[in-house]
Amino acid sequence: MNNPWHLYLMAAMYFIAGVMHFVKPKMYMRIMPKYLPKHKQLVYLSGNAEMALALGLCISSLRDIAIYGIIAMLTVFLLVHFYMLSSEKAGAGIPKWILILRIPLQFGLMYWAWWYL
């Protein structure tokens, strides 16, 4: 498997998601679990991580590290998804069925990354 288009689609998706952490940081801070410190810094850190991992997917010598990083990042992001299910306020007005659907979607994204190993 040599650089299929869908690998670049994945990279673009994570890069755009990372950029959005800087364009709309308040949107991400609103969904941060209360028990985590320094929400703004964590939002920027996760945005940088998404962009770096996206670029890593495009560099063959870094691809495996980027894939493991994406899987680890998505695992950590599950904290946010479960937190958003904890109350209406934490859910930020998103319908509960969408919040529930995001959990298996997260595992699907992990599998999609793992598939390139």
mmCIF file with all atom_site columns, all heavy atoms in Angstrom, residues 78-98:
data_model
loop_
_atom_site.group_PDB
_atom_site.id
_atom_site.type_symbol
_atom_site.label_atom_id
_atom_site.label_alt_id
_atom_site.label_comp_id
_atom_site.label_asym_id
_atom_site.label_entity_id
_atom_site.label_seq_id
_atom_site.pdbx_PDB_ins_code
_atom_site.Cartn_x
_atom_site.Cartn_y
_atom_site.Cartn_z
_atom_site.occupancy
_atom_site.B_iso_or_equiv
_atom_site.pdbx_formal_charge
_atom_site.auth_seq_id
_atom_site.auth_comp_id
_atom_site.auth_asym_id
_atom_site.auth_atom_id
_atom_site.pdbx_PDB_model_num
ATOM 1   N N   . LEU A 1 78 ? -11.588 10.274 23.987 1.00 0.00 ? 78 LEU A N   1
ATOM 2   C CA  . LEU A 1 78 ? -12.774 9.587  24.508 1.00 0.00 ? 78 LEU A CA  1
ATOM 3   C C   . LEU A 1 78 ? -13.214 10.194 25.838 1.00 0.00 ? 78 LEU A C   1
ATOM 4   O O   . LEU A 1 78 ? -14.408 10.197 26.151 1.00 0.00 ? 78 LEU A O   1
ATOM 5   C CB  . LEU A 1 78 ? -12.510 8.088  24.670 1.00 0.00 ? 78 LEU A CB  1
ATOM 6   C CG  . LEU A 1 78 ? -12.571 7.257  23.403 1.00 0.00 ? 78 LEU A CG  1
ATOM 7   C CD1 . LEU A 1 78 ? -12.058 5.847  23.662 1.00 0.00 ? 78 LEU A CD1 1
ATOM 8   C CD2 . LEU A 1 78 ? -13.986 7.209  22.838 1.00 0.00 ? 78 LEU A CD2 1
ATOM 9   N N   . LEU A 1 79 ? -12.270 10.724 26.622 1.00 0.00 ? 79 LEU A N   1
ATOM 10  C CA  . LEU A 1 79 ? -12.628 11.388 27.880 1.00 0.00 ? 79 LEU A CA  1
ATOM 11  C C   . LEU A 1 79 ? -13.627 12.511 27.628 1.00 0.00 ? 79 LEU A C   1
ATOM 12  O O   . LEU A 1 79 ? -14.599 12.671 28.374 1.00 0.00 ? 79 LEU A O   1
ATOM 13  C CB  . LEU A 1 79 ? -11.376 11.970 28.551 1.00 0.00 ? 79 LEU A CB  1
ATOM 14  C CG  . LEU A 1 79 ? -10.321 11.023 29.062 1.00 0.00 ? 79 LEU A CG  1
ATOM 15  C CD1 . LEU A 1 79 ? -9.085  11.793 29.511 1.00 0.00 ? 79 LEU A CD1 1
ATOM 16  C CD2 . LEU A 1 79 ? -10.868 10.188 30.206 1.00 0.00 ? 79 LEU A CD2 1
ATOM 17  N N   . VAL A 1 80 ? -13.377 13.277 26.586 1.00 0.00 ? 80 VAL A N   1
ATOM 18  C CA  . VAL A 1 80 ? -14.276 14.390 26.250 1.00 0.00 ? 80 VAL A CA  1
ATOM 19  C C   . VAL A 1 80 ? -15.625 13.850 25.804 1.00 0.00 ? 80 VAL A C   1
ATOM 20  O O   . VAL A 1 80 ? -16.672 14.349 26.215 1.00 0.00 ? 80 VAL A O   1
ATOM 21  C CB  . VAL A 1 80 ? -13.658 15.281 25.151 1.00 0.00 ? 80 VAL A CB  1
ATOM 22  C CG1 . VAL A 1 80 ? -14.659 16.330 24.669 1.00 0.00 ? 80 VAL A CG1 1
ATOM 23  C CG2 . VAL A 1 80 ? -12.383 15.946 25.661 1.00 0.00 ? 80 VAL A CG2 1
ATOM 24  N N   . HIS A 1 81 ? -15.628 12.813 24.984 1.00 0.00 ? 81 HIS A N   1
ATOM 25  C CA  . HIS A 1 81 ? -16.888 12.274 24.481 1.00 0.00 ? 81 HIS A CA  1
ATOM 26  C C   . HIS A 1 81 ? -17.746 11.718 25.615 1.00 0.00 ? 81 HIS A C   1
ATOM 27  O O   . HIS A 1 81 ? -18.964 11.948 25.642 1.00 0.00 ? 81 HIS A O   1
ATOM 28  C CB  . HIS A 1 81 ? -16.637 11.199 23.423 1.00 0.00 ? 81 HIS A CB  1
ATOM 29  C CG  . HIS A 1 81 ? -15.964 11.741 22.200 1.00 0.00 ? 81 HIS A CG  1
ATOM 30  N ND1 . HIS A 1 81 ? -16.425 12.826 21.497 1.00 0.00 ? 81 HIS A ND1 1
ATOM 31  C CD2 . HIS A 1 81 ? -14.841 11.355 21.562 1.00 0.00 ? 81 HIS A CD2 1
ATOM 32  C CE1 . HIS A 1 81 ? -15.631 13.077 20.481 1.00 0.00 ? 81 HIS A CE1 1
ATOM 33  N NE2 . HIS A 1 81 ? -14.647 12.204 20.500 1.00 0.00 ? 81 HIS A NE2 1
ATOM 34  N N   . PHE A 1 82 ? -17.140 11.019 26.560 1.00 0.00 ? 82 PHE A N   1
ATOM 35  C CA  . PHE A 1 82 ? -17.912 10.498 27.693 1.00 0.00 ? 82 PHE A CA  1
ATOM 36  C C   . PHE A 1 82 ? -18.343 11.629 28.621 1.00 0.00 ? 82 PHE A C   1
ATOM 37  O O   . PHE A 1 82 ? -19.448 11.619 29.144 1.00 0.00 ? 82 PHE A O   1
ATOM 38  C CB  . PHE A 1 82 ? -17.119 9.432  28.450 1.00 0.00 ? 82 PHE A CB  1
ATOM 39  C CG  . PHE A 1 82 ? -17.099 8.107  27.735 1.00 0.00 ? 82 PHE A CG  1
ATOM 40  C CD1 . PHE A 1 82 ? -15.920 7.591  27.233 1.00 0.00 ? 82 PHE A CD1 1
ATOM 41  C CD2 . PHE A 1 82 ? -18.266 7.385  27.537 1.00 0.00 ? 82 PHE A CD2 1
ATOM 42  C CE1 . PHE A 1 82 ? -15.897 6.375  26.563 1.00 0.00 ? 82 PHE A CE1 1
ATOM 43  C CE2 . PHE A 1 82 ? -18.264 6.170  26.863 1.00 0.00 ? 82 PHE A CE2 1
ATOM 44  C CZ  . PHE A 1 82 ? -17.070 5.664  26.375 1.00 0.00 ? 82 PHE A CZ  1
ATOM 45  N N   . TYR A 1 83 ? -17.484 12.624 28.799 1.00 0.00 ? 83 TYR A N   1
ATOM 46  C CA  . TYR A 1 83 ? -17.847 13.780 29.619 1.00 0.00 ? 83 TYR A CA  1
ATOM 47  C C   . TYR A 1 83 ? -19.074 14.479 29.028 1.00 0.00 ? 83 TYR A C   1
ATOM 48  O O   . TYR A 1 83 ? -19.984 14.882 29.759 1.00 0.00 ? 83 TYR A O   1
ATOM 49  C CB  . TYR A 1 83 ? -16.677 14.761 29.728 1.00 0.00 ? 83 TYR A CB  1
ATOM 50  C CG  . TYR A 1 83 ? -17.062 16.077 30.356 1.00 0.00 ? 83 TYR A CG  1
ATOM 51  C CD1 . TYR A 1 83 ? -17.273 16.170 31.725 1.00 0.00 ? 83 TYR A CD1 1
ATOM 52  C CD2 . TYR A 1 83 ? -17.229 17.218 29.578 1.00 0.00 ? 83 TYR A CD2 1
ATOM 53  C CE1 . TYR A 1 83 ? -17.643 17.368 32.304 1.00 0.00 ? 83 TYR A CE1 1
ATOM 54  C CE2 . TYR A 1 83 ? -17.591 18.418 30.157 1.00 0.00 ? 83 TYR A CE2 1
ATOM 55  C CZ  . TYR A 1 83 ? -17.800 18.492 31.515 1.00 0.00 ? 83 TYR A CZ  1
ATOM 56  O OH  . TYR A 1 83 ? -18.173 19.679 32.090 1.00 0.00 ? 83 TYR A OH  1
ATOM 57  N N   . MET A 1 84 ? -19.119 14.632 27.726 1.00 0.00 ? 84 MET A N   1
ATOM 58  C CA  . MET A 1 84 ? -20.234 15.308 27.080 1.00 0.00 ? 84 MET A CA  1
ATOM 59  C C   . MET A 1 84 ? -21.555 14.569 27.282 1.00 0.00 ? 84 MET A C   1
ATOM 60  O O   . MET A 1 84 ? -22.623 15.173 27.193 1.00 0.00 ? 84 MET A O   1
ATOM 61  C CB  . MET A 1 84 ? -19.940 15.514 25.601 1.00 0.00 ? 84 MET A CB  1
ATOM 62  C CG  . MET A 1 84 ? -18.842 16.538 25.356 1.00 0.00 ? 84 MET A CG  1
ATOM 63  S SD  . MET A 1 84 ? -18.501 16.806 23.605 1.00 0.00 ? 84 MET A SD  1
ATOM 64  C CE  . MET A 1 84 ? -19.923 17.821 23.160 1.00 0.00 ? 84 MET A CE  1
ATOM 65  N N   . LEU A 1 85 ? -21.480 13.290 27.583 1.00 0.00 ? 85 LEU A N   1
ATOM 66  C CA  . LEU A 1 85 ? -22.694 12.516 27.860 1.00 0.00 ? 85 LEU A CA  1
ATOM 67  C C   . LEU A 1 85 ? -23.155 12.668 29.312 1.00 0.00 ? 85 LEU A C   1
ATOM 68  O O   . LEU A 1 85 ? -24.243 12.222 29.666 1.00 0.00 ? 85 LEU A O   1
ATOM 69  C CB  . LEU A 1 85 ? -22.444 11.030 27.569 1.00 0.00 ? 85 LEU A CB  1
ATOM 70  C CG  . LEU A 1 85 ? -22.418 10.642 26.101 1.00 0.00 ? 85 LEU A CG  1
ATOM 71  C CD1 . LEU A 1 85 ? -21.868 9.236  25.933 1.00 0.00 ? 85 LEU A CD1 1
ATOM 72  C CD2 . LEU A 1 85 ? -23.816 10.748 25.508 1.00 0.00 ? 85 LEU A CD2 1
ATOM 73  N N   . SER A 1 86 ? -22.354 13.302 30.154 1.00 0.00 ? 86 SER A N   1
ATOM 74  C CA  . SER A 1 86 ? -22.638 13.352 31.591 1.00 0.00 ? 86 SER A CA  1
ATOM 75  C C   . SER A 1 86 ? -23.760 14.300 31.968 1.00 0.00 ? 86 SER A C   1
ATOM 76  O O   . SER A 1 86 ? -24.397 14.114 33.005 1.00 0.00 ? 86 SER A O   1
ATOM 77  C CB  . SER A 1 86 ? -21.365 13.702 32.381 1.00 0.00 ? 86 SER A CB  1
ATOM 78  O OG  . SER A 1 86 ? -20.988 15.049 32.142 1.00 0.00 ? 86 SER A OG  1
ATOM 79  N N   . SER A 1 87 ? -24.025 15.324 31.173 1.00 0.00 ? 87 SER A N   1
ATOM 80  C CA  . SER A 1 87 ? -25.123 16.250 31.469 1.00 0.00 ? 87 SER A CA  1
ATOM 81  C C   . SER A 1 87 ? -25.467 17.042 30.218 1.00 0.00 ? 87 SER A C   1
ATOM 82  O O   . SER A 1 87 ? -24.703 17.066 29.258 1.00 0.00 ? 87 SER A O   1
ATOM 83  C CB  . SER A 1 87 ? -24.726 17.218 32.593 1.00 0.00 ? 87 SER A CB  1
ATOM 84  O OG  . SER A 1 87 ? -23.768 18.151 32.133 1.00 0.00 ? 87 SER A OG  1
ATOM 85  N N   . GLU A 1 88 ? -26.629 17.712 30.272 1.00 0.00 ? 88 GLU A N   1
ATOM 86  C CA  . GLU A 1 88 ? -27.031 18.526 29.123 1.00 0.00 ? 88 GLU A CA  1
ATOM 87  C C   . GLU A 1 88 ? -26.056 19.670 28.894 1.00 0.00 ? 88 GLU A C   1
ATOM 88  O O   . GLU A 1 88 ? -25.702 19.976 27.760 1.00 0.00 ? 88 GLU A O   1
ATOM 89  C CB  . GLU A 1 88 ? -28.445 19.085 29.337 1.00 0.00 ? 88 GLU A CB  1
ATOM 90  C CG  . GLU A 1 88 ? -29.515 18.181 28.779 1.00 0.00 ? 88 GLU A CG  1
ATOM 91  C CD  . GLU A 1 88 ? -30.872 18.852 28.791 1.00 0.00 ? 88 GLU A CD  1
ATOM 92  O OE1 . GLU A 1 88 ? -31.005 19.972 28.250 1.00 0.00 ? 88 GLU A OE1 1
ATOM 93  O OE2 . GLU A 1 88 ? -31.788 18.244 29.342 1.00 0.00 ? 88 GLU A OE2 1
ATOM 94  N N   . LYS A 1 89 ? -25.611 20.305 29.977 1.00 0.00 ? 89 LYS A N   1
ATOM 95  C CA  . LYS A 1 89 ? -24.667 21.413 29.858 1.00 0.00 ? 89 LYS A CA  1
ATOM 96  C C   . LYS A 1 89 ? -23.354 20.932 29.236 1.00 0.00 ? 89 LYS A C   1
ATOM 97  O O   . LYS A 1 89 ? -22.810 21.573 28.339 1.00 0.00 ? 89 LYS A O   1
ATOM 98  C CB  . LYS A 1 89 ? -24.403 22.044 31.215 1.00 0.00 ? 89 LYS A CB  1
ATOM 99  C CG  . LYS A 1 89 ? -23.522 23.260 31.129 1.00 0.00 ? 89 LYS A CG  1
ATOM 100 C CD  . LYS A 1 89 ? -23.314 23.902 32.479 1.00 0.00 ? 89 LYS A CD  1
ATOM 101 C CE  . LYS A 1 89 ? -22.389 25.106 32.324 1.00 0.00 ? 89 LYS A CE  1
ATOM 102 N NZ  . LYS A 1 89 ? -21.998 25.669 33.580 1.00 0.00 ? 89 LYS A NZ  1
ATOM 103 N N   . ALA A 1 90 ? -22.852 19.793 29.693 1.00 0.00 ? 90 ALA A N   1
ATOM 104 C CA  . ALA A 1 90 ? -21.599 19.243 29.154 1.00 0.00 ? 90 ALA A CA  1
ATOM 105 C C   . ALA A 1 90 ? -21.761 18.876 27.684 1.00 0.00 ? 90 ALA A C   1
ATOM 106 O O   . ALA A 1 90 ? -20.800 18.934 26.923 1.00 0.00 ? 90 ALA A O   1
ATOM 107 C CB  . ALA A 1 90 ? -21.162 18.027 29.964 1.00 0.00 ? 90 ALA A CB  1
ATOM 108 N N   . GLY A 1 91 ? -22.964 18.504 27.278 1.00 0.00 ? 91 GLY A N   1
ATOM 109 C CA  . GLY A 1 91 ? -23.224 18.119 25.895 1.00 0.00 ? 91 GLY A CA  1
ATOM 110 C C   . GLY A 1 91 ? -23.271 19.290 24.934 1.00 0.00 ? 91 GLY A C   1
ATOM 111 O O   . GLY A 1 91 ? -23.386 19.091 23.724 1.00 0.00 ? 91 GLY A O   1
ATOM 112 N N   . ALA A 1 92 ? -23.194 20.518 25.460 1.00 0.00 ? 92 ALA A N   1
ATOM 113 C CA  . ALA A 1 92 ? -23.112 21.738 24.641 1.00 0.00 ? 92 ALA A CA  1
ATOM 114 C C   . ALA A 1 92 ? -24.251 21.864 23.628 1.00 0.00 ? 92 ALA A C   1
ATOM 115 O O   . ALA A 1 92 ? -24.054 22.386 22.532 1.00 0.00 ? 92 ALA A O   1
ATOM 116 C CB  . ALA A 1 92 ? -21.753 21.830 23.958 1.00 0.00 ? 92 ALA A CB  1
ATOM 117 N N   . GLY A 1 93 ? -25.427 21.342 23.983 1.00 0.00 ? 93 GLY A N   1
ATOM 118 C CA  . GLY A 1 93 ? -26.577 21.478 23.100 1.00 0.00 ? 93 GLY A CA  1
ATOM 119 C C   . GLY A 1 93 ? -26.622 20.492 21.946 1.00 0.00 ? 93 GLY A C   1
ATOM 120 O O   . GLY A 1 93 ? -27.507 20.552 21.105 1.00 0.00 ? 93 GLY A O   1
ATOM 121 N N   . ILE A 1 94 ? -25.676 19.582 21.904 1.00 0.00 ? 94 ILE A N   1
ATOM 122 C CA  . ILE A 1 94 ? -25.656 18.570 20.838 1.00 0.00 ? 94 ILE A CA  1
ATOM 123 C C   . ILE A 1 94 ? -26.626 17.452 21.222 1.00 0.00 ? 94 ILE A C   1
ATOM 124 O O   . ILE A 1 94 ? -26.614 16.989 22.362 1.00 0.00 ? 94 ILE A O   1
ATOM 125 C CB  . ILE A 1 94 ? -24.230 18.017 20.638 1.00 0.00 ? 94 ILE A CB  1
ATOM 126 C CG1 . ILE A 1 94 ? -23.284 19.156 20.228 1.00 0.00 ? 94 ILE A CG1 1
ATOM 127 C CG2 . ILE A 1 94 ? -24.219 16.896 19.606 1.00 0.00 ? 94 ILE A CG2 1
ATOM 128 C CD1 . ILE A 1 94 ? -21.816 18.778 20.246 1.00 0.00 ? 94 ILE A CD1 1
ATOM 129 N N   . PRO A 1 95 ? -27.489 17.022 20.302 1.00 0.00 ? 95 PRO A N   1
ATOM 130 C CA  . PRO A 1 95 ? -28.429 15.948 20.630 1.00 0.00 ? 95 PRO A CA  1
ATOM 131 C C   . PRO A 1 95 ? -27.714 14.709 21.172 1.00 0.00 ? 95 PRO A C   1
ATOM 132 O O   . PRO A 1 95 ? -26.641 14.336 20.694 1.00 0.00 ? 95 PRO A O   1
ATOM 133 C CB  . PRO A 1 95 ? -29.113 15.645 19.301 1.00 0.00 ? 95 PRO A CB  1
ATOM 134 C CG  . PRO A 1 95 ? -28.958 16.903 18.495 1.00 0.00 ? 95 PRO A CG  1
ATOM 135 C CD  . PRO A 1 95 ? -27.644 17.491 18.924 1.00 0.00 ? 95 PRO A CD  1
ATOM 136 N N   . LYS A 1 96 ? -28.335 14.092 22.174 1.00 0.00 ? 96 LYS A N   1
ATOM 137 C CA  . LYS A 1 96 ? -27.727 12.941 22.846 1.00 0.00 ? 96 LYS A CA  1
ATOM 138 C C   . LYS A 1 96 ? -27.416 11.805 21.868 1.00 0.00 ? 96 LYS A C   1
ATOM 139 O O   . LYS A 1 96 ? -26.396 11.139 21.997 1.00 0.00 ? 96 LYS A O   1
ATOM 140 C CB  . LYS A 1 96 ? -28.635 12.449 23.971 1.00 0.00 ? 96 LYS A CB  1
ATOM 141 C CG  . LYS A 1 96 ? -27.933 11.522 24.919 1.00 0.00 ? 96 LYS A CG  1
ATOM 142 C CD  . LYS A 1 96 ? -28.471 11.715 26.315 1.00 0.00 ? 96 LYS A CD  1
ATOM 143 C CE  . LYS A 1 96 ? -27.600 10.978 27.281 1.00 0.00 ? 96 LYS A CE  1
ATOM 144 N NZ  . LYS A 1 96 ? -27.218 11.755 28.415 1.00 0.00 ? 96 LYS A NZ  1
ATOM 145 N N   . TRP A 1 97 ? -28.267 11.582 20.883 1.00 0.00 ? 97 TRP A N   1
ATOM 146 C CA  . TRP A 1 97 ? -28.032 10.484 19.944 1.00 0.00 ? 97 TRP A CA  1
ATOM 147 C C   . TRP A 1 97 ? -26.747 10.710 19.155 1.00 0.00 ? 97 TRP A C   1
ATOM 148 O O   . TRP A 1 97 ? -26.040 9.756  18.824 1.00 0.00 ? 97 TRP A O   1
ATOM 149 C CB  . TRP A 1 97 ? -29.236 10.257 19.025 1.00 0.00 ? 97 TRP A CB  1
ATOM 150 C CG  . TRP A 1 97 ? -29.479 11.332 18.003 1.00 0.00 ? 97 TRP A CG  1
ATOM 151 C CD1 . TRP A 1 97 ? -30.259 12.436 18.152 1.00 0.00 ? 97 TRP A CD1 1
ATOM 152 C CD2 . TRP A 1 97 ? -28.931 11.399 16.685 1.00 0.00 ? 97 TRP A CD2 1
ATOM 153 N NE1 . TRP A 1 97 ? -30.230 13.193 16.999 1.00 0.00 ? 97 TRP A NE1 1
ATOM 154 C CE2 . TRP A 1 97 ? -29.427 12.579 16.083 1.00 0.00 ? 97 TRP A CE2 1
ATOM 155 C CE3 . TRP A 1 97 ? -28.075 10.575 15.949 1.00 0.00 ? 97 TRP A CE3 1
ATOM 156 C CZ2 . TRP A 1 97 ? -29.106 12.954 14.781 1.00 0.00 ? 97 TRP A CZ2 1
ATOM 157 C CZ3 . TRP A 1 97 ? -27.746 10.952 14.653 1.00 0.00 ? 97 TRP A CZ3 1
ATOM 158 C CH2 . TRP A 1 97 ? -28.266 12.126 14.086 1.00 0.00 ? 97 TRP A CH2 1
ATOM 159 N N   . ILE A 1 98 ? -26.425 11.966 18.859 1.00 0.00 ? 98 ILE A N   1
ATOM 160 C CA  . ILE A 1 98 ? -25.170 12.258 18.152 1.00 0.00 ? 98 ILE A CA  1
ATOM 161 C C   . ILE A 1 98 ? -23.987 12.004 19.079 1.00 0.00 ? 98 ILE A C   1
ATOM 162 O O   . ILE A 1 98 ? -22.972 11.432 18.669 1.00 0.00 ? 98 ILE A O   1
ATOM 163 C CB  . ILE A 1 98 ? -25.160 13.704 17.622 1.00 0.00 ? 98 ILE A CB  1
ATOM 164 C CG1 . ILE A 1 98 ? -26.188 13.847 16.504 1.00 0.00 ? 98 ILE A CG1 1
ATOM 165 C CG2 . ILE A 1 98 ? -23.763 14.093 17.130 1.00 0.00 ? 98 ILE A CG2 1
ATOM 166 C CD1 . ILE A 1 98 ? -26.348 15.262 15.967 1.00 0.00 ? 98 ILE A CD1 1
#
